[in-house]
Amino acid sequence: MRLFFAVWPDNAARAALAQHAIGPWPRGTRPIRDDALHLTLAFLGDVDEAVLPALEALGAQLGQRCVPTRMRLAKFGHWNNGIIWAAPERTPKALTGLVAELRQGLAELGVESDTRRYKPHITLARRASHLPPLAPGAIVYPLDHLALVASEAGPTGQVVYRTLARWPLSGRKKRARSKPETPPLG
């Protein structure tokens, strides 16, 4: 099975991303369907189904430990490989922490994932020759869950994503410890 961990957009973020993804696109561009828009946290590639229970346990642990947050997608760009993307101006620390913990957990399970520096982005289109004008404005993208997703070939050859498991992020922010008050001398 081809697997990855991701965060799906909520309805408001999905609608805003889909609005940006309307184009007009350069000839030959393949926009991403709005039901396929997502933020990939870790791509695992082909994984033996026997590892699924361990991946689900990892997802559950991370869901309990990691803090929900939001990111503001305000950058749009085009890579030489034809990908048009949306990305945050600043990557939230909670997202960086989640990805680091996820990569560490995968390594402990012996599951390979990307080792390059994490650059969060949402793919809006493929096979684009250039970045067309896109609707201005930022998109708020909640990071409130973690999903284990299978990537499969659909009946007409397009890629279909199937969520195998999903965990809410329910960790709490660490509060700064306050120093106990020192009684006055005297």
Side-chain angles (χ1 to χ4, degrees), residues 2 27 42 44 65 103 114 124 133 171 180:
R2 286 177 65 81
R27 187 180 170 126
L44 313 181
R65 282 199 316 253
R103 286 180 173 182
D114 198 348
L124 300 176

Side-chain angles (χ1 to χ4, degrees), residues 50-99:
V51 180
L52 278 177
L55 293 174
E56 290 173 353
L58 174 61
Q61 289 171 5
L62 291 175
Q64 292 174 357
R65 282 199 316 253
C66 293
V67 177
T69 191
R70 301 181 307 217
M71 74 178 166
R72 189 171 175 270
L73 302 172
K75 289 178 21 181
F76 299 89
H78 173 261
W79 288 323
N80 291 337
N81 63 359
I83 302 274
I84 292 178
W85 49 265
E89 288 178 323
R90 278 190 14 207
T91 302
K93 287 181 183 179
L95 176 58
T96 304
L98 172 60
V99 170

Side-chain angles (χ1 to χ4, degrees), residues 109-122:
L109 293 174
V111 176
E112 290 186 30
S113 66
D114 198 348
T115 58
R116 294 176 292 181
R117 186 173 147 257
Y118 182 66
K119 294 181 183 178
H121 69 279
I122 289 83

Side-chain angles (χ1 to χ4, degrees), residues 8-174:
W8 296 108
D10 67 1
N11 289 337
R14 180 179 293 109
L17 285 165
Q19 186 64 35
H20 277 74
I22 287 174
W25 296 114
R27 187 180 170 126
T29 300
R30 296 181 67 182
I32 303 299
R33 297 181 327 272
D34 65 343
D35 65 333
L37 294 166
H38 66 277
L39 172 68
T40 300
L41 301 175
F43 180 74
L44 313 181
D46 291 320
V47 176
D48 189 324
E49 283 188 50
V51 180
L52 278 177
L55 293 174
E56 290 173 353
L58 174 61
Q61 289 171 5
L62 291 175
Q64 292 174 357
R65 282 199 316 253
C66 293
V67 177
T69 191
R70 301 181 307 217
M71 74 178 166
R72 189 171 175 270
L73 302 172
K75 289 178 21 181
F76 299 89
H78 173 261
W79 288 323
N80 291 337
N81 63 359
I83 302 274
I84 292 178
W85 49 265
E89 288 178 323
R90 278 190 14 207
T91 302
K93 287 181 183 179
L95 176 58
T96 304
L98 172 60
V99 170
E101 286 195 50
L102 179 57
R103 286 180 173 182
Q104 180 180 344
L106 291 169
E108 289 170 3
L109 293 174
V111 176
E112 290 186 30
S113 66
D114 198 348
T115 58
R116 294 176 292 181
R117 186 173 147 257
Y118 182 66
K119 294 181 183 178
H121 69 279
I122 289 83
T123 299
L124 300 176
R126 298 182 185 281
R127 297 186 182 168
S129 59
H130 63 279
L131 180 66
L134 296 174
I139 299 167
V140 175
Y141 195 107
L143 303 168
D144 58 0
H145 71 279
L146 172 66
L148 179 60
V149 183
S151 174
E152 304 166 335
T156 59
Q158 84 279 12
V159 174
V160 175
Y161 299 131
R162 182 169 52 97
T163 300
L164 303 176
R166 182 177 171 139
W167 306 273
L169 299 182
S170 59
R172 303 217 187 283
K173 288 185 180 180
K174 293 179 183 174

